[in-house]
PDB file of all heavy atoms in Angstrom:
ATOM      1  N   CYS A1007      40.738  -6.863  12.055  1.00 92.00           N
ATOM      2  CA  CYS A1007      39.485  -6.094  11.895  1.00 92.00           C
ATOM      3  C   CYS A1007      38.324  -6.703  12.748  1.00 92.00           C
ATOM      4  O   CYS A1007      37.559  -5.910  13.281  1.00 92.00           O
ATOM      5  CB  CYS A1007      39.138  -6.138  10.378  1.00 92.00           C
ATOM      6  SG  CYS A1007      40.187  -5.165   9.326  1.00 92.00           S
ATOM      7  N   ARG A1008      38.266  -7.983  12.874  1.00 85.00           N
ATOM      8  CA  ARG A1008      37.264  -8.508  13.632  1.00 85.00           C
ATOM      9  C   ARG A1008      37.395  -8.139  15.159  1.00 85.00           C
ATOM     10  O   ARG A1008      36.462  -7.762  15.770  1.00 85.00           O
ATOM     11  CB  ARG A1008      37.239 -10.016  13.484  1.00 85.00           C
ATOM     12  CG  ARG A1008      35.800 -10.616  13.294  1.00 85.00           C
ATOM     13  CD  ARG A1008      35.718 -12.122  13.120  1.00 85.00           C
ATOM     14  NE  ARG A1008      36.931 -12.931  13.263  1.00 85.00           N
ATOM     15  CZ  ARG A1008      37.604 -13.587  12.171  1.00 85.00           C
ATOM     16  NH1 ARG A1008      37.077 -13.377  10.985  1.00 85.00           N
ATOM     17  NH2 ARG A1008      38.462 -14.345  12.355  1.00 85.00           N
ATOM     18  N   GLU A1009      38.634  -8.193  15.595  1.00 87.00           N
ATOM     19  CA  GLU A1009      38.851  -7.920  17.065  1.00 87.00           C
ATOM     20  C   GLU A1009      38.667  -6.483  17.313  1.00 87.00           C
ATOM     21  O   GLU A1009      38.152  -6.128  18.388  1.00 87.00           O
ATOM     22  CB  GLU A1009      40.210  -8.333  17.553  1.00 87.00           C
ATOM     23  CG  GLU A1009      40.222  -9.849  17.697  1.00 87.00           C
ATOM     24  CD  GLU A1009      41.698 -10.420  17.996  1.00 87.00           C
ATOM     25  OE1 GLU A1009      42.611  -9.661  17.930  1.00 87.00           O
ATOM     26  OE2 GLU A1009      41.726 -11.580  18.270  1.00 87.00           O
ATOM     27  N   LYS A1010      38.943  -5.702  16.373  1.00 89.00           N
ATOM     28  CA  LYS A1010      38.737  -4.152  16.574  1.00 89.00           C
ATOM     29  C   LYS A1010      37.205  -3.880  16.362  1.00 89.00           C
ATOM     30  O   LYS A1010      36.894  -2.647  16.539  1.00 89.00           O
ATOM     31  CB  LYS A1010      39.624  -3.430  15.468  1.00 89.00           C
ATOM     32  CG  LYS A1010      40.798  -2.742  16.151  1.00 89.00           C
ATOM     33  CD  LYS A1010      41.523  -1.861  15.156  1.00 89.00           C
ATOM     34  CE  LYS A1010      40.908  -0.633  14.846  1.00 89.00           C
ATOM     35  NZ  LYS A1010      40.951   0.616  14.949  1.00 89.00           N
ATOM     36  N   GLU A1011      36.501  -4.793  15.903  1.00 87.00           N
ATOM     37  CA  GLU A1011      35.078  -4.528  15.540  1.00 87.00           C
ATOM     38  C   GLU A1011      34.883  -3.311  14.591  1.00 87.00           C
ATOM     39  O   GLU A1011      34.117  -2.454  14.943  1.00 87.00           O
ATOM     40  CB  GLU A1011      34.231  -4.400  16.807  1.00 87.00           C
ATOM     41  CG  GLU A1011      34.272  -5.742  17.609  1.00 87.00           C
ATOM     42  CD  GLU A1011      33.174  -5.766  18.768  1.00 87.00           C
ATOM     43  OE1 GLU A1011      32.297  -5.000  18.696  1.00 87.00           O
ATOM     44  OE2 GLU A1011      33.394  -6.737  19.594  1.00 87.00           O
ATOM     45  N   VAL A1012      35.665  -3.306  13.589  1.00 86.00           N
ATOM     46  CA  VAL A1012      35.631  -2.214  12.650  1.00 86.00           C
ATOM     47  C   VAL A1012      34.194  -2.248  11.969  1.00 86.00           C
ATOM     48  O   VAL A1012      33.763  -3.331  11.473  1.00 86.00           O
ATOM     49  CB  VAL A1012      36.717  -2.424  11.471  1.00 86.00           C
ATOM     50  CG1 VAL A1012      36.570  -1.329  10.418  1.00 86.00           C
ATOM     51  CG2 VAL A1012      38.061  -2.383  12.123  1.00 86.00           C
ATOM     52  N   LYS A1013      33.548  -1.067  11.968  1.00 86.00           N
ATOM     53  CA  LYS A1013      32.281  -1.026  11.453  1.00 86.00           C
ATOM     54  C   LYS A1013      32.064  -0.228  10.307  1.00 86.00           C
ATOM     55  O   LYS A1013      31.476  -0.530   9.327  1.00 86.00           O
ATOM     56  CB  LYS A1013      31.248  -0.637  12.525  1.00 86.00           C
ATOM     57  CG  LYS A1013      30.992  -1.643  13.500  1.00 86.00           C
ATOM     58  CD  LYS A1013      29.779  -1.355  14.410  1.00 86.00           C
ATOM     59  CE  LYS A1013      29.664  -2.211  15.653  1.00 86.00           C
ATOM     60  NZ  LYS A1013      30.980  -1.850  16.554  1.00 86.00           N
ATOM     61  N   ASN A1014      32.739   0.939  10.312  1.00 92.00           N
ATOM     62  CA  ASN A1014      32.437   1.964   9.241  1.00 92.00           C
ATOM     63  C   ASN A1014      33.433   1.889   8.043  1.00 92.00           C
ATOM     64  O   ASN A1014      33.420   2.779   7.181  1.00 92.00           O
ATOM     65  CB  ASN A1014      32.438   3.431   9.885  1.00 92.00           C
ATOM     66  CG  ASN A1014      33.699   3.679  10.657  1.00 92.00           C
ATOM     67  OD1 ASN A1014      34.506   2.657  10.896  1.00 92.00           O
ATOM     68  ND2 ASN A1014      33.797   4.971  11.056  1.00 92.00           N
ATOM     69  N   VAL A1015      34.340   0.899   8.051  1.00 95.00           N
ATOM     70  CA  VAL A1015      35.187   0.639   6.829  1.00 95.00           C
ATOM     71  C   VAL A1015      35.135  -0.640   6.405  1.00 95.00           C
ATOM     72  O   VAL A1015      35.145  -1.651   7.262  1.00 95.00           O
ATOM     73  CB  VAL A1015      36.609   0.940   7.295  1.00 95.00           C
ATOM     74  CG1 VAL A1015      37.536   0.884   6.064  1.00 95.00           C
ATOM     75  CG2 VAL A1015      36.783   2.349   8.069  1.00 95.00           C
ATOM     76  N   THR A1016      34.889  -0.926   5.091  1.00 93.00           N
ATOM     77  CA  THR A1016      34.814  -2.198   4.547  1.00 93.00           C
ATOM     78  C   THR A1016      36.273  -2.598   3.902  1.00 93.00           C
ATOM     79  O   THR A1016      36.842  -1.689   3.270  1.00 93.00           O
ATOM     80  CB  THR A1016      33.794  -2.362   3.278  1.00 93.00           C
ATOM     81  OG1 THR A1016      32.642  -1.725   3.802  1.00 93.00           O
ATOM     82  CG2 THR A1016      33.702  -3.778   2.919  1.00 93.00           C
ATOM     83  N   VAL A1017      36.830  -3.779   4.287  1.00 95.00           N
ATOM     84  CA  VAL A1017      38.030  -4.101   3.748  1.00 95.00           C
ATOM     85  C   VAL A1017      37.940  -5.195   2.766  1.00 95.00           C
ATOM     86  O   VAL A1017      37.283  -6.151   2.915  1.00 95.00           O
ATOM     87  CB  VAL A1017      38.938  -4.612   4.938  1.00 95.00           C
ATOM     88  CG1 VAL A1017      40.343  -4.995   4.388  1.00 95.00           C
ATOM     89  CG2 VAL A1017      39.122  -3.460   5.967  1.00 95.00           C
ATOM     90  N   GLN A1018      38.472  -4.969   1.589  1.00 94.00           N
ATOM     91  CA  GLN A1018      38.436  -5.990   0.521  1.00 94.00           C
ATOM     92  C   GLN A1018      39.906  -6.436   0.131  1.00 94.00           C
ATOM     93  O   GLN A1018      40.816  -5.728   0.220  1.00 94.00           O
ATOM     94  CB  GLN A1018      37.885  -5.402  -0.819  1.00 94.00           C
ATOM     95  CG  GLN A1018      36.503  -4.942  -0.675  1.00 94.00           C
ATOM     96  CD  GLN A1018      36.046  -4.270  -1.955  1.00 94.00           C
ATOM     97  OE1 GLN A1018      36.632  -4.449  -3.014  1.00 94.00           O
ATOM     98  NE2 GLN A1018      34.969  -3.392  -1.796  1.00 94.00           N
ATOM     99  N   TYR A1019      39.989  -7.730  -0.207  1.00 96.00           N
ATOM    100  CA  TYR A1019      41.287  -8.316  -0.538  1.00 96.00           C
ATOM    101  C   TYR A1019      41.307  -8.691  -1.935  1.00 96.00           C
ATOM    102  O   TYR A1019      40.308  -9.207  -2.503  1.00 96.00           O
ATOM    103  CB  TYR A1019      41.628  -9.490   0.415  1.00 96.00           C
ATOM    104  CG  TYR A1019      41.581  -9.138   1.726  1.00 96.00           C
ATOM    105  CD1 TYR A1019      40.461  -9.247   2.667  1.00 96.00           C
ATOM    106  CD2 TYR A1019      42.715  -8.667   2.411  1.00 96.00           C
ATOM    107  CE1 TYR A1019      40.498  -8.946   4.007  1.00 96.00           C
ATOM    108  CE2 TYR A1019      42.731  -8.226   3.697  1.00 96.00           C
ATOM    109  CZ  TYR A1019      41.635  -8.444   4.471  1.00 96.00           C
ATOM    110  OH  TYR A1019      41.562  -8.005   5.800  1.00 96.00           O
ATOM    111  N   ASP A1020      42.424  -8.418  -2.569  1.00 96.00           N
ATOM    112  CA  ASP A1020      42.571  -8.928  -3.963  1.00 96.00           C
ATOM    113  C   ASP A1020      43.867  -9.488  -4.241  1.00 96.00           C
ATOM    114  O   ASP A1020      44.933  -8.744  -4.125  1.00 96.00           O
ATOM    115  CB  ASP A1020      42.344  -7.723  -4.936  1.00 96.00           C
ATOM    116  CG  ASP A1020      42.101  -8.091  -6.389  1.00 96.00           C
ATOM    117  OD1 ASP A1020      42.326  -9.246  -6.709  1.00 96.00           O
ATOM    118  OD2 ASP A1020      41.671  -7.281  -7.116  1.00 96.00           O
TER     119      ASP A1020
END
Side-chain angles (χ1 to χ4, degrees):
C1007 289
R1008 222 178 8 250
E1009 283 176 352
K1010 250 184 82 107
E1011 298 193 10
V1012 174
K1013 284 191 196 70
N1014 52 354
V1015 186
T1016 313
V1017 179
Q1018 297 173 22
Y1019 301 91
D1020 192 350

